[in-house]
Amino acid sequence: MRTPANGTRNLLQSADDRDTILSLNDLHVEYASATGTIHAVRGVNLDIRRGERFGIAGESGSGKTTLVNAILRLLPETAQISAGSIHFNDIDLSRLDNRSLNFLRWSRIALIPQGSMSSLNPVMKVGHQIAEVIKTHEGKRYNKDVRDRIERILESVGLDGRVLNLYPHELSGGMKQRVCIAMAITLEPELIIADEPTSSLDVVVQRQVAKTLIDVQERLGASIILIGHDMALLAQTAHRIAIMNEGELVEIDNVREIYHRPRHRYTQMLINSLPSLEHREERDIPPVARADGGATPLLDAQAVTKVFGYKGHLFAKSTEFTALDEVSIEVTGDFPMVTTIAGESGSGKSTFANIVLGFAKPSGGAVYYRGKDIARQSRSEFAQYRREVQAIFQDPYEIFNPVYTVDSLFRVAVKKFKLARGNDETMALIEEALRVVNLSPEQVFGKYPDELSGGQRQRLMVARAYLLKPKLIVADEPVSMVDASLRLMILDLMKSLRDELGTSFVYITHDLATAYQISDQIIILNRGKIVERGTPEEVIKNPQHPYSQSLIQAIPSPNPDIKW
Amino acid sequence: MRLPVSYIAKRFLSFVVVVWVAASVNFIVPRMAPGDPIGAMVARMELQGEVIEDSAELIAAYREKFGLDGSLWDQYVSYLTSAVQFDFGHSLSYFPRPVSDIILDALPYTLGLLAVSIIISFTVGTLLGALIVWLKIGRSGIGLVAPLLLLGSIPQYLLAIILLFVFSFALRWFPSGGAHALGASHDFTLANFIEVARHGALPIMSIVLASAGGWLIGMRSMTITVTRSDYLTLAKAKGLSQLRIFYHYVIRNAILPQVTNLAIAMGSIVGGAILVEVVFTYPGLGSHLLRAINNQDFTVIQGMTYTLVLSVASAVLIVDLLYPWLDPRINYEDQ
Amino acid sequence: MQAYSTTRSPAQKIVSIFKSFDLTFYIGLLLVLLLVVFGALGQFFIDQRDIRLGASSFSSPPSAEHLFGTDALGRDLLTLLILATPTTLNIGVVTAVIATSIGTFLGLVTGYFRGPLETGIRTLIDIMIAIPALLILVSIASFLPSSNTVIAVILAIFAWPFTARPVRAQVLSLRERAFVKLSKLSKRSDFEIIFFDMLPNITPFIAAGFVSTVSNAILAAVGLQLLGIGPIDEPSIGLVLQEAFFASAVFRELWWWWIPPMIMLSMIFIGLFLISLSLDRIARH
């Protein structure tokens, strides 16, 4: 075993007593599916030490969630442990009877579930959901003492004790996550398994919740397994990390080794695909101005305001809220550029995208495309605007209508914009677009969306944009749900569209790290207002507004040497 | 719990509108009828040799009730006023008995029949639907309840005729009609109770067998959804007992759409029940309605339909008002 | 010609649709089709005169001359039932065609567009669903002389919200999907989006709704007959059953009078139920 170069105190301690709490030996898990057996976990060997924070990193489909479910014996009916053992202390969990298993669950091994948003029983008060584990495992009724105890636990994770009287829908995402943490530590377990514990949270809350988690874990001295896809987050929270790919653990080491000296090729790819906040490639702004550029900006949003909701009436409270508040943004027509609009959920960034694309009308102000108010275009101006302003969207699955084969996405566009005459010309155009994204027609034509991989669908989306050769593409979170390798590819495609077709981008994202890498200007929105704007260097390295400062500070660095 | 004011207000409004529609239909329809139904009826009765002593009085009462005097608006207002006061005038065939009197006689039977059969069918169907999924009975389980599902697709009144034939005519296990033995006292004794139960058994069985299947299917698919939910996974990880998970997690969540559907189905359940009464000559609103139709007793028909709509709307209102107590999210979903 | 197929022929599409149905669907279809064939082909073998009052001997059991026997009025029951079948099926189909068309259209429109008109229709739908149609129909039918067509139309007036509401709910969730935005970006009009993007996605829902509307309409129409306020000028299965039941056929051991209409109605209801069960499964898939 390697010795950590300059290991933390915790790591040295756990290395000293060498006490193993969980040990997986050659674990295999198989799923029965319609197409045959899927070998989801293949021969995993792993030792988790007492008191350590152990990270398991992997992309979607790597088998990490299956691994967790196998440890807790929560596998669905169709899956089974086909070989190997899971030893918790001296107990083999894979062979434990249900009664003993239920006794052991939560009192000694607790779970912080993936998707905490939906993990609480919607019809039960938070306090009762915590009280029921006390009742089940300690036999205590929900009385004053138990109540006080629950309040104390809730307070220990940074919540108001009165939260116990609320229902889950009355809590914010961060609060629900904290409730799940509180629930997990109620019985002071020896091992906590946290499956993507913060992946659904905005970055500022994510940091707070992750800090709380580390804090309670250290206080209890419990071990914790952190499952995640975000290498940077794991680098900041775990002592050791295992990299999982296609059901196998390809590398296990302490965080510094993984980051500075990855040995396995897959690990190297993961580390290399991480966007960094430390340095970026400076882009040479092309000296040649666009022929049609000049004085008029390509896109000019002037004091755009959007108010949603209804004014109240006799039986309903007013639900009005301002999603965008006098937002002014200019995208030059002189050269192609990427403008990032960044913000957390609820910042108004997607509303802005919808207004630029003409899907929503501003309540105040106006958006001008090449000098024309998009809400007041003539028929021919509208046709041109539709042709020239396109989009790339977030969810790779829902961009396709499930009842049509994927090529209809292209055919509709070709037909409506009269890009080609006849089938041969259409096919030639589509094939050209597919080549740009490295897809062959044989791979995708005549296929339904669910027959393609997420990566293929996302690339088709880019190919569609290429087909129309637009002047402006609104990219609405195009990489927020995709794996690291695909993210890199999409961002590269965006760059090449910019450089080869001269397309400008409005890049809508919550991810400042990728924004830093590809943007020419960054705008940060908070609750509908612009709080920061400037070049990437200005915004990331020297933010002026306290909100932007907290936002940038909250971004975990993949380099474990940079403190979070 | 915070009171979901806007939700409650909407439910009450819906109740008022439904009852208002029923009353208005009752007001409009006789005015659209060709000729003079009352005159025609009196004439026909006289033709059949019946002596109508109070025929003039009867016609006057009818004209007044149907408010054929005054402007249309005045007639409408006075009609709605009496509908609110539950005053439908006098029965034509049992003149001068007030319609409300006949309704009040029949109402307890109908309400009793409905209450017992809805509670049984809803409980049994819902519980079976949840158990089939929870106990992982699978395909063979569906086989076990298949008869119930098929019966569920047949209208209650067809099932009633079959049950009448099998259990009353062929096997003679149950009486063929009525709610009591003829001439029985109405005292509350065990013997009377058994008598009432024997008379109610077949009508109740018809409604239960014909509707339990529907509740079963709905609960089954909802339970499947719940068993795949994240909160159920967490409940298992918490080491809770099976019984606790089944009741507090599965049933409590899966039953919510069932309750909503109960409110929606109320109208067709009541509609079906009055036909079951007709088949078994059970002395509720249905049987009285049939007799009124045969006698062309229009005031009674109107009173009956109005009362039935009012019962349905009240039952829906009760279910709707109980709903927020089951689902704390209601106030939020509403917006 | 390319090596890969880009589109599928209509014939292939139809074949693939039928492949997606399960056994349940085909059993249901068989039950309903048997009746359709009975009603359609039967017309060629009957003589209208056989259903005049007293055309034959009263209440005679099935024989070579009267395959289904005769009723207490001396009418040939086979002839009567052959004439009754199309009437009964028609009520269901007419109601469902009207209700499904209106319901689908309003469901699509109110799901897709926002505005005061949409709010109005949505409120109307909510209230209409709460109105017990059969009871209102009893009130109407006991005053007004009615025909089967009038009954079908009235039933449709009360039935369309039961299609409109689920269609609207589906559209509400579909319109949030990115593919709708992409269609807009491809310059498709709202009309094209509704009919090319939304409608194909909810066809199974509409089909399932259509089938249950047929079933509910027949249920209500037969119910009106049992109450004695259905149309009496045309024979319908409900009317035959009503006459049999109120002539105490059940207790007078005139089984040939009441059992055949019972079986026929059961075939309709069970058949339609099996079809809609199968369509529901496809819709939810």
Side-chain angles (χ1 to χ4, degrees):
Chain A
M1 209 198 108
R2 283 161 182 252
T3 42
N6 37 6
T8 63
R9 199 170 47 83
N10 278 321
L11 202 65
L12 286 170
Q13 271 179 351
S14 51
D16 279 343
D17 58 41
R18 293 282 173 88
D19 196 355
T20 301
I21 185 164
L22 184 78
S23 166
L24 309 184
N25 280 307
D26 192 31
L27 187 71
H28 291 260
V29 180
E30 290 179 352
Y31 277 92
S33 80
T35 50
T37 308
I38 297 167
H39 209 144
V41 173
R42 302 156 183 258
V44 165
N45 289 294
L46 192 64
D47 286 323
I48 311 274
R49 298 164 196 156
R50 225 168 265 287
E52 103 172 303
R53 291 195 295 274
F54 189 89
I56 300 178
E59 303 193 325
S60 57
S62 61
K64 54 190 197 300
T65 295
T66 305
L67 185 65
V68 171
N69 287 339
I71 296 170
L72 288 161
R73 291 266 303 275
L74 290 173
L75 291 170
E77 309 261 294
T78 50
Q80 60 155 348
I81 297 170
S82 49
S85 67
I86 305 165
H87 277 91
F88 173 70
N89 294 312
D90 288 328
I91 310 157
D92 186 351
L93 294 178
S94 64
R95 284 172 186 80
L96 206 59
D97 64 285
N98 280 328
R99 214 184 129 81
S100 320
L101 187 68
N102 266 348
F103 183 74
L104 198 130
R105 279 172 174 167
W106 220 261
S107 60
R108 301 184 68 186
I109 308 177
L111 170 73
I112 299 170
Q114 184 174 31
S116 293
M117 299 300 141
S118 51
S119 285
L120 296 170
N121 186 348
V123 296
M124 207 190 256
K125 283 181 182 171
V126 165
H128 283 106
Q129 299 194 44
I130 297 178
E132 66 182 353
V133 298
I134 298 176
K135 182 162 189 273
T136 300
H137 293 279
E138 296 176 7
K140 290 176 190 153
R141 300 196 132 272
Y142 192 24
N143 56 20
K144 179 85 175 58
D145 286 351
V146 170
R147 216 185 138 84
D148 289 346
R149 177 170 155 197
I150 293 171
E151 273 184 23
R152 278 199 309 278
I153 295 166
L154 287 170
E155 279 157 13
S156 77
V157 297
L159 289 168
D160 188 317
R162 283 169 297 181
V163 161
L164 61 79
N165 277 325
L166 298 180
Y167 286 99
H169 70 267
E170 297 173 290
L171 308 178
S172 70
M175 289 165 86
K176 279 186 212 173
Q177 198 63 64
R178 283 171 196 271
V179 166
C180 284
I181 294 174
M183 202 184 287
I185 62 171
T186 304
L187 304 178
E188 308 197 345
E190 293 151 64
L191 176 64
I192 299 171
I193 300 177
D195 189 1
E196 301 263 13
T198 58
S199 61
S200 53
L201 302 176
D202 277 323
V203 59
V204 174
V205 183
Q206 177 186 59
R207 178 162 178 263
Q208 294 164 353
V209 170
K211 293 272 183 207
T212 305
L213 186 58
I214 292 173
D215 183 48
V216 296
Q217 176 262 338
E218 285 182 345
R219 213 168 51 217
L220 289 181
S223 310
I224 188 162
I225 301 177
L226 296 150
I227 313 288
H229 68 282
D230 183 349
M231 280 298 291
L233 182 65
L234 288 177
Q236 294 297 335
T237 48
H239 300 128
R240 288 197 301 156
I241 291 181
I243 307 291
M244 196 161 185
N245 183 34
E246 295 183 353
E248 290 176 41
L249 294 188
V250 297
E251 187 159 356
I252 307 177
D253 218 324
N254 72 64
V255 273
R256 280 192 180 75
E257 287 301 316
I258 293 271
Y259 180 72
H260 292 295
R261 282 172 290 280
R263 280 169 298 167
H264 194 276
R265 274 183 41 207
Y266 180 74
T267 316
Q268 288 161 1
M269 188 279 291
L270 276 185
I271 299 294
N272 290 336
S273 68
L274 289 170
S276 162
L277 279 174
E278 289 164 65
H279 51 81
R280 70 192 289 265
E281 282 173 52
E282 271 309 318
R283 170 187 168 219
D284 303 322
I285 304 281
V288 193
R290 262 189 193 154
D292 55 354
T296 28
L298 187 64
L299 186 77
D300 187 11
Q302 292 185 1
V304 173
T305 299
K306 181 72 185 176
V307 180
F308 282 114
Y310 302 99
K311 286 206 165 65
H313 58 78
L314 186 57
F315 298 125
K317 275 176 287 187
S318 168
T319 55
E320 275 191 3
F321 84 103
T322 306
L324 282 176
D325 194 356
E326 306 215 343
V327 168
S328 298
I329 290 170
E330 189 185 308
V331 175
T332 177
D334 295 340
F335 55 89
M337 70 181 299
V338 177
T339 302
T340 292
I341 298 176
E344 298 185 294
S345 51
S347 63
K349 58 187 195 297
S350 287
T351 306
F352 183 75
N354 282 337
I355 289 176
V356 170
L357 291 169
F359 298 154
K361 291 209 170 12
S363 323
V367 177
Y368 297 88
Y369 175 70
R370 292 169 74 169
K372 271 291 177 183
D373 183 347
I374 60 169
R376 280 172 212 164
Q377 298 177 102
S378 70
R379 192 174 265 272
S380 65
E381 283 165 349
F382 178 76
Q384 192 195 10
Y385 154 80
R386 266 284 172 262
R387 172 75 201 274
E388 293 179 0
V389 180
Q390 288 295 324
I392 302 176
F393 289 119
Q394 186 170 29
D395 185 352
Y397 194 74
E398 298 197 331
I399 54 183
F400 292 97
N401 193 333
V403 298
Y404 296 115
T405 54
V406 292
D407 32 305
S408 77
L409 189 66
F410 295 89
R411 291 178 184 282
V412 171
V414 170
K415 198 173 141 219
K416 297 297 290 186
F417 290 115
K418 302 190 178 69
L419 300 180
R421 256 171 277 140
N423 197 39
D424 289 352
E425 240 180 276
T426 308
M427 289 305 298
L429 263 184
I430 299 175
E431 279 177 34
E432 185 202 339
L434 291 179
R435 252 196 314 279
V436 174
V437 298
N438 276 324
L439 285 172
S440 69
E442 289 82 2
Q443 280 174 294
V444 293
F445 269 70
K447 297 260 174 69
Y448 285 92
D450 56 0
E451 294 174 290
L452 300 178
S453 73
Q456 286 174 319
R457 288 193 297 257
Q458 193 75 4
R459 279 186 281 165
L460 280 174
M461 178 90 229
V462 178
R464 179 192 171 280
Y466 177 86
L467 182 82
L468 294 164
K469 308 204 167 47
K471 294 227 169 3
L472 179 69
I473 291 179
V474 176
D476 192 354
E477 298 268 21
V479 294
S480 69
M481 320 245 295
V482 304
D483 288 327
S485 45
L486 183 59
R487 177 172 62 207
L488 209 59
M489 178 178 190
I490 301 288
L491 292 176
D492 282 343
L493 278 170
M494 282 170 64
K495 278 189 212 160
S496 66
L497 285 182
R498 179 194 65 194
D499 297 337
E500 284 158 33
L501 288 182
T503 304
S504 286
F505 282 86
V506 172
Y507 175 48
I508 310 280
T509 189
H510 67 280
D511 179 6
L512 280 169
T514 58
Y516 178 64
Q517 293 301 319
I518 70 158
S519 318
D520 300 297
Q521 76 169 322
I522 296 182
I523 288 154
I524 296 179
L525 280 183
N526 180 33
R527 297 177 185 198
K529 282 199 171 80
I530 293 179
V531 293
E532 193 87 30
R533 77 167 89 210
T535 66
E537 289 300 332
E538 289 164 0
V539 171
I540 302 297
K541 299 293 188 201
N542 190 18
Q544 299 303 307
H545 194 278
Y547 175 76
S548 339
Q549 285 164 1
S550 71
L551 202 61
I552 288 155
Q553 213 177 22
I555 303 168
S557 166
N559 184 349
D561 296 328
I562 297 174
K563 252 190 92 65
W564 192 27
Chain B
M1 190 181 73
R2 263 173 287 165
L3 220 52
V5 181
S6 91
Y7 171 84
I8 291 176
K10 272 186 191 164
R11 299 297 124 188
F12 266 107
L13 200 66
S14 169
F15 170 83
V16 171
V17 171
V18 168
V19 175
W20 168 72
V21 167
S24 301
V25 167
N26 275 353
F27 174 78
I28 296 164
V29 165
R31 282 162 182 76
M32 288 168 64
D36 173 10
I38 182 78
M41 191 186 90
V42 172
R44 193 170 51 248
M45 286 164 107
E46 281 171 346
L47 256 173
Q48 285 164 351
E50 287 181 43
V51 184
I52 300 189
E53 292 170 16
D54 310 320
S55 77
E57 215 175 304
L58 197 154
I59 292 173
Y62 178 88
R63 289 193 69 84
E64 186 222 316
K65 191 69 256 141
F66 283 79
L68 299 179
D69 309 313
S71 79
L72 209 56
W73 178 251
D74 290 340
Q75 294 174 28
Y76 186 53
V77 170
S78 85
Y79 189 89
L80 288 187
T81 314
S82 48
V84 169
Q85 292 163 348
F86 216 68
D87 169 18
F88 309 100
H90 304 276
S91 162
L92 301 183
S93 43
Y94 299 101
F95 192 80
R97 203 172 166 207
V99 172
S100 51
D101 209 30
I102 299 176
I103 291 172
L104 288 178
D105 268 2
L107 195 59
Y109 292 101
T110 300
L111 292 186
L113 186 65
L114 277 169
V116 173
S117 40
I118 290 176
I119 289 169
I120 295 178
S121 69
F122 185 82
T123 315
V124 169
T126 300
L127 209 57
L128 277 180
L131 281 173
I132 280 176
V133 179
W134 187 242
L135 301 178
K136 298 176 187 113
I137 295 172
R139 284 223 161 263
S140 56
I142 296 299
L144 286 175
V145 294
L148 210 51
L149 295 188
L150 286 187
L151 288 178
S153 67
I154 300 177
Q156 301 166 358
Y157 50 79
L158 290 193
L159 204 58
I161 296 177
I162 297 170
L163 294 181
L164 180 73
F165 175 71
V166 174
F167 293 105
S168 182
F169 175 72
L171 298 173
R172 299 193 180 281
W173 289 357
F174 293 102
S176 68
H180 317 273
L182 270 171
S185 73
H186 285 48
D187 302 337
F188 192 82
T189 62
L190 186 64
N192 267 348
F193 179 77
I194 291 172
E195 239 351 79
V196 169
R198 263 169 51 80
H199 281 83
L202 287 182
I204 289 169
M205 215 152 84
S206 314
I207 302 175
V208 169
L209 287 179
S211 42
W215 300 124
L216 192 154
I217 294 183
M219 189 64 176
R220 180 179 165 269
S221 75
M222 204 45 219
T223 307
I224 291 174
T225 310
V226 171
T227 51
R228 289 176 186 156
S229 68
D230 290 340
Y231 53 79
L232 208 79
T233 308
L234 189 63
K236 285 182 189 157
K238 282 157 91 173
L240 304 178
S241 69
Q242 291 285 303
L243 198 65
R244 184 170 190 92
I245 296 178
F246 183 60
Y247 177 69
H248 287 281
Y249 286 73
V250 177
I251 298 262
R252 275 292 276 109
N253 282 288
I255 206 169
L256 300 175
Q258 293 277 96
V259 176
T260 313
N261 288 336
L262 180 61
I264 293 174
M266 200 61 81
S268 50
I269 296 175
V270 172
I274 61 170
L275 288 161
V276 169
E277 287 184 3
V278 165
V279 171
F280 291 104
T281 55
Y282 197 78
L285 293 172
S287 292
H288 282 84
L289 182 63
L290 181 75
R291 193 180 311 147
I293 288 170
N294 287 339
N295 294 340
Q296 305 216 351
D297 191 339
F298 296 116
T299 47
V300 176
I301 296 175
Q302 291 218 326
M304 290 279 171
T305 51
Y306 178 82
T307 309
L308 284 166
V309 173
L310 191 68
S311 313
V312 171
S314 311
V316 169
L317 186 65
I318 291 168
V319 173
D320 280 345
L321 292 185
L322 287 177
Y323 191 80
W325 175 71
L326 283 177
D327 187 354
R329 288 164 296 182
I330 191 71
N331 212 9
Y332 291 75
E333 279 174 7
D334 211 36
Q335 283 165 7
Chain C
M1 203 51 219
Q2 280 92 4
Y4 40 85
S5 76
T6 53
T7 45
R8 298 185 301 167
S9 72
Q12 280 174 310
K13 273 186 185 166
I14 291 169
V15 168
S16 82
I17 287 172
F18 276 94
K19 272 189 186 157
S20 64
F21 294 136
D22 51 13
L23 187 64
T24 318
F25 179 87
Y26 288 106
I27 295 175
L29 193 65
L30 181 74
L31 287 174
V32 176
L33 279 183
L34 276 177
L35 280 174
V36 172
V37 170
F38 175 76
L41 292 186
Q43 307 289 332
F44 298 107
F45 301 101
I46 54 167
D47 185 345
Q48 292 271 1
R49 283 171 299 187
D50 290 341
I51 59 160
R52 284 188 303 196
L53 301 184
S56 316
S57 56
F58 303 124
S59 305
S60 56
S63 62
E65 198 189 346
H66 299 289
L67 282 175
F68 278 47
T70 63
D71 67 9
L73 301 168
R75 296 178 294 182
D76 178 59
L77 277 165
L78 179 60
T79 311
L80 203 56
L81 285 172
I82 286 174
L83 288 170
T85 306
T87 318
T88 297
L89 292 175
N90 263 342
I91 293 184
V93 174
V94 170
T95 306
V97 166
I98 301 174
T100 309
S101 314
I102 299 176
T104 303
F105 177 75
L106 290 180
L108 286 169
V109 170
T110 58
Y112 189 78
F113 295 106
R114 290 285 91 101
L117 186 67
E118 175 258 340
T119 314
I121 298 174
R122 184 156 46 99
T123 314
L124 183 68
I125 290 174
D126 285 345
I127 288 169
M128 295 281 289
I129 281 182
I131 296 174
L134 184 67
L135 301 175
I136 298 289
L137 203 59
V138 166
S139 173
I140 297 174
S142 48
F143 278 89
L144 300 179
S146 59
S147 69
N148 285 310
T149 316
V150 170
I151 287 183
V153 170
I154 297 176
L155 284 172
I157 290 173
F158 287 103
W160 68 264
F162 289 89
T163 304
R165 190 141 85 166
V167 167
R168 179 173 179 273
Q170 288 298 312
V171 173
L172 278 178
S173 88
L174 285 174
R175 69 194 285 273
E176 298 305 321
R177 306 254 188 113
F179 68 73
V180 172
K181 290 183 176 177
L182 277 181
S183 274
K184 283 186 185 168
L185 290 175
S186 292
K187 228 175 69 183
R188 268 192 168 168
S189 64
D190 290 332
F191 181 83
E192 286 172 312
I193 289 172
I194 289 178
F195 286 93
F196 297 134
D197 286 326
M198 306 274 183
L199 198 55
N201 272 295
I202 52 176
T203 319
F205 273 93
I206 297 169
F210 181 89
V211 173
S212 35
T213 310
V214 172
S215 175
N216 287 332
I218 296 176
L219 183 144
V222 175
L224 284 186
Q225 292 287 7
L226 280 189
L227 281 173
I229 41 179
I232 46 169
D233 44 351
E234 286 178 277
S236 65
I237 308 179
L239 188 60
V240 176
L241 183 65
Q242 189 252 349
E243 286 165 350
F245 186 76
F246 288 101
S248 295
V250 175
F251 295 100
R252 287 163 61 197
E253 302 194 40
L254 307 176
W255 55 268
W256 59 90
W257 194 2
W258 67 275
I259 286 184
M262 285 284 289
I263 291 177
M264 290 169 72
L265 288 173
S266 303
M267 280 168 72
I268 297 180
F269 289 118
I270 292 177
L272 292 173
F273 168 73
L274 293 179
I275 294 174
S276 77
L277 202 63
S278 168
L279 288 173
D280 251 357
R281 208 174 296 157
I282 294 171
R284 228 172 291 162
H285 155 68

